[in-house]
Amino acid sequence: MWRLLARRVARGAAGAPGLVRSCRALGAVGAGRGAAVGVGAVPLGRGPAWGGPVHRPGGLLLPPAWPRLVPCRCCSLPAHQKVALPALSPTMQMGTIARWEKKEGDKIGEGELIAEVETDKATVGFESLEECYLAKILVPEGTRDVPIGAIICITVEKPEYVDAFKNYTLDSAPSAPPAASVPPPQAAAPSPPTPLSPQAPGSSYPPHMQVTLPALSPTMTMGTVQRWEKKVGEKLNEGDLLAEIETDKATIGFEVQEEGYLAKILVPEGTRDVPLGTALCIIVEKESDIPAFADYQDTAVTDMKAQAPPPPPPLVVATPPAPPPPQPAVPSTPAVPTAGPPPRKGRILVSPLAKKMAAEKGIDLAQVKGTGPDGRITKKDVESFVPPKVAPAPAVEAVPAAAAVAAAPVGTFTDIPISNIRRVIAQRLMQSKQTIPHYYLSVDINMGEVLVLRKELNQEVSDNIKLSVNDFIIKAAALACLKVPEANSSWMDTVIRQNHVVDVSVAVSTPAGLITPIVFNAHIKGLASISKDVVSLATKAREGKLQPHEFQGGTFTISNLGMYGIKNFSAIINPPQACILAVGSSEKRLVPADNEKGFDVASVMSVTLSCDHRVVDGAVGAQWLAEFKNFLEKPVTMLL
């Protein structure tokens, strides 16, 4: 009844002042259900008494300062609805209007998309709850850092109301930030007005879409454009690989979401530390629109220049400061050229893995010939590279031995640039050690029965599957987490989340750094399935081909250094998880036995459980280790 009366008041207010008075009276009568927000505003009775935002299904959020209908403006404007930016994720504070799906004057059906909003997690579309017409867009496409609750558009019930909002502006509501999120260029003197930003609608550019750098991992803040897979002018199909982006975790392919044509590349290959949300390229629907963007520039990326992956810095040689003794004159000798090809000039195309390997081996990438696409240097090129031999120098007159000793280097070192992955690893490990109260529990496990069972099963399974001891450890850990669910929990600041499934993160060492791909639902998988997953994930991790969903999350982590002969060690917890298991190597030990000798030789493995004392008490951690030990010493129980 309230809504019906409010609509009647809104529609007839221009010619019936009495209705406005009735509306104000009703606002006073309804004060017991919720105070009127504006002069003559009609409370809908849907929001909380404190006047907070009204949450409605479908993602629309009505801010407290504006009710759904605003009769106080009825004298000049028809009935309308102010649509506010909703909170589309639990951690969202601001959003970016990535694209408007409707234009001013278009009809919006119930359930149709109004716009696409880029949040701190992903790009999400939000829908209309009822039929209406889009009367005015208040926040243009590309506007960044729009706060939650900001009015982004106006909708009306009838198409004839649209023209009334042609010159509408928000005079009392807080205005949205400007479309360009970067500071304007410095100006020493007044200059003639510049054209509108390319992002602003209504400019001279044809309809287009700016593709921005998305967050490809939860901890990603910047990325590196490693390679563009498409060139300007090429047709893009849905699902095509557009570019390769190096994140803080791995190098990930960035796919096209819809068909179009690549009109302009804004961020060149090799550009490093590109902030999230930066426009990467321009896509248009029609091929004929491509020439219009030949001189297109985005203010957010004009200062970005392609940075070639730097070659390893030259060795710094320390020499003693003592002055050299007098020496007889030696005729100068011209530099002897190397036998190999001359170093390449210009930007060098190289994969992240090849770059890392070259830095570790001290190889100058300028001397390596790439065999990949467009001369790209790959891992194979670095592995097969043979340094060119230096031609022997012509004999020169002998110099005193003391001078030769003085010229010998005393010490050398090499500065290796910190990669994005290594920087994030350092930040998260420091955060873990500084904020999580670690404690450690160790136990020795007799692995005799596991080794016997492994040998028997490997004889039964196919040749392409070889079960490892690590597969048994993953299965036993997953089942122990079901027995002691407190260890399969996460600290979430306000709550402790106890997980009902066991997703085991397995630490894998790669040339770029440590990464933890996940064996999902390890508690219900067989040993053969776990073995296949581990082999596949480890291969992808070392090649840098892991997808974000394959390493994001996990409920329990295992780090195994037994293959390196490490007897025992203590691992650092991977937040927000509560536990991580450090596995050492097996060794032969004498153990008490009920036989004539009184002892026996057994293969014993040491493990150490690191626990977060905020989540897992000492007794609970000990209980988990007891269950884990029981599963491995009696592996038949894993079948129960």
Side-chain angles (χ1 to χ4, degrees):
M1 181 183 73
W2 290 103
R3 181 181 298 181
L4 178 61
L5 185 55
R7 288 177 178 172
R8 291 177 179 175
V9 170
R11 294 171 182 172
L19 289 179
V20 178
R21 290 195 295 270
S22 300
C23 175
R24 293 174 181 170
L26 286 173
V29 172
R33 298 178 62 185
V37 180
V39 178
V42 180
L44 300 179
R46 289 174 177 257
W50 48 267
V54 179
H55 295 271
R56 303 185 63 184
L60 287 179
L61 173 72
L62 303 183
W66 299 97
R68 182 176 177 274
L69 295 175
V70 189
C72 63
R73 291 183 177 269
C74 291
C75 57
S76 59
L77 293 173
H80 59 279
Q81 178 182 354
K82 294 183 177 181
V83 180
L85 180 66
L88 300 174
S89 75
T91 58
M92 176 181 172
Q93 297 179 348
M94 294 181 291
T96 297
I97 306 298
R99 174 173 182 170
W100 284 100
E101 297 293 340
K102 298 292 183 179
K103 299 179 182 179
E104 293 181 359
D106 286 356
K107 181 179 180 180
I108 305 174
E110 182 178 356
E112 290 186 353
L113 285 181
I114 299 178
E116 291 182 356
V117 178
E118 181 181 341
T119 72
D120 56 339
K121 300 293 185 184
T123 300
V124 183
F126 72 97
E127 304 172 351
S128 174
L129 294 179
E130 55 191 3
E131 290 189 358
C132 56
Y133 292 85
L134 183 57
K136 184 69 176 179
I137 294 176
L138 300 174
V139 180
E141 283 187 7
T143 304
R144 300 181 185 172
D145 300 336
V146 181
I148 292 178
I151 309 300
I152 59 176
C153 68
I154 299 293
T155 61
V156 295
E157 296 179 354
K158 295 184 177 182
E160 54 264 28
Y161 294 163
V162 173
D163 291 339
F165 295 88
K166 183 176 182 180
N167 299 319
Y168 181 91
T169 58
L170 287 175
D171 50 0
S172 58
S175 60
S181 62
V182 296
Q186 298 179 353
S191 57
T194 57
L196 291 175
S197 167
Q199 297 179 5
S203 65
S204 59
Y205 290 99
H208 62 278
M209 178 177 63
Q210 280 190 341
V211 179
T212 58
L213 179 64
L216 300 175
S217 75
T219 56
M220 176 181 174
T221 58
M222 295 182 293
T224 297
V225 180
Q226 284 290 343
R227 176 184 175 88
W228 283 100
E229 299 293 341
K230 298 290 184 179
K231 298 180 181 179
V232 173
E234 289 190 12
K235 180 175 176 58
L236 306 176
N237 295 315
E238 184 177 355
D240 283 355
L241 193 62
L242 182 61
E244 290 182 0
I245 307 295
E246 181 184 349
T247 72
D248 56 340
K249 299 290 186 182
T251 300
I252 300 174
F254 183 35
E255 297 181 352
V256 180
Q257 300 298 324
E258 55 187 57
E259 293 185 358
Y261 293 88
L262 183 57
K264 183 73 173 181
I265 293 177
L266 302 175
V267 180
E269 285 186 2
T271 305
R272 307 183 66 178
D273 299 335
V274 181
L276 294 184
T278 301
L280 299 179
C281 65
I282 297 295
I283 295 178
V284 295
E285 296 181 359
K286 299 179 181 179
E287 188 175 6
S288 57
D289 293 339
I290 295 177
F293 294 88
D295 299 325
Y296 182 100
Q297 290 185 350
D298 187 87
T299 55
V301 295
T302 50
D303 294 335
M304 289 187 181
K305 297 181 179 180
Q307 304 174 7
L315 295 179
V316 179
V317 181
T319 57
Q327 303 175 9
V330 178
S332 60
T333 304
V336 180
T338 60
R344 295 188 298 175
K345 297 181 180 180
R347 188 166 60 86
I348 301 175
L349 297 177
V350 58
S351 69
L353 180 57
K355 178 174 64 176
K356 179 67 176 177
M357 293 178 61
E360 293 175 349
K361 296 182 178 182
I363 297 176
D364 185 0
L365 291 173
Q367 299 180 356
V368 181
K369 181 179 180 181
T371 59
D374 299 328
R376 185 183 181 93
I377 299 175
T378 63
K379 170 187 174 184
K380 182 179 179 181
D381 299 329
V382 176
E383 291 176 342
S384 60
F385 174 72
V386 178
K389 296 181 179 180
V390 180
V396 296
E397 295 182 11
V399 295
V405 173
V410 175
T412 60
F413 65 87
T414 302
D415 291 331
I416 301 176
I418 300 175
S419 64
N420 291 337
I421 297 177
R422 179 61 60 185
R423 183 181 292 110
V424 170
I425 291 174
Q427 292 172 352
R428 286 183 58 82
L429 291 180
M430 184 177 295
Q431 173 195 7
S432 178
K433 289 295 288 185
Q434 289 180 343
T435 61
I436 296 178
H438 286 62
Y439 73 90
Y440 310 96
L441 303 173
S442 299
V443 69
D444 293 336
I445 301 174
N446 189 335
M447 299 294 290
E449 293 194 23
V450 167
L451 295 177
V452 172
L453 180 60
R454 170 177 173 262
K455 184 177 180 180
E456 294 177 356
L457 291 178
N458 278 335
Q459 294 175 351
E460 298 294 333
V461 297
S462 58
D463 295 337
N464 57 346
I465 298 177
K466 291 295 181 183
L467 300 179
S468 67
V469 174
N470 199 50
D471 301 331
F472 287 85
I473 293 173
I474 294 173
K475 182 65 176 180
L479 295 178
C481 285
L482 291 183
K483 292 277 189 177
V484 187
E486 293 85 354
N488 192 44
S489 302
S490 303
W491 177 264
M492 308 302 291
D493 290 333
T494 56
V495 296
I496 295 176
R497 178 171 297 168
Q498 195 170 104
N499 301 291
H500 299 156
V501 297
V502 185
D503 298 332
V504 179
S505 302
V506 181
V508 176
S509 177
T510 70
L514 184 70
I515 195 168
T516 53
I518 303 169
V519 179
F520 291 97
N521 296 314
H523 58 294
I524 60 175
K525 287 185 176 179
L527 292 171
S529 179
I530 291 175
S531 178
K532 288 181 180 178
D533 287 355
V534 171
V535 171
S536 173
L537 292 170
T539 302
K540 287 184 178 180
R542 294 188 179 98
E543 295 176 353
K545 296 181 179 179
L546 281 176
Q547 296 299 313
H549 70 275
E550 294 176 318
F551 58 81
Q552 294 175 7
T555 62
F556 189 92
T557 299
I558 295 176
S559 179
N560 191 345
L561 294 179
M563 66 286 294
Y564 298 104
I566 301 300
K567 186 176 180 180
N568 57 66
F569 67 102
S570 300
I572 300 176
I573 295 173
N574 182 22
Q577 297 176 13
C579 295
I580 182 172
L581 183 69
V583 181
S585 62
S586 299
E587 62 178 3
K588 299 291 185 180
R589 296 186 194 176
L590 297 179
V591 295
D594 188 12
N595 54 26
E596 295 180 357
K597 298 179 182 179
F599 65 88
D600 201 353
V601 179
S603 182
V604 179
M605 179 182 70
S606 296
V607 298
T608 300
L609 182 68
S610 303
C611 301
D612 183 348
H613 216 318
R614 300 173 300 178
V615 182
V616 180
D617 294 331
V620 175
Q623 183 183 355
W624 187 93
L625 276 178
E627 296 289 348
F628 177 72
K629 179 178 180 179
N630 181 67
F631 281 125
L632 287 181
E633 292 188 342
K634 298 178 180 178
V636 178
T637 58
M638 287 192 281
L639 302 176
L640 299 178

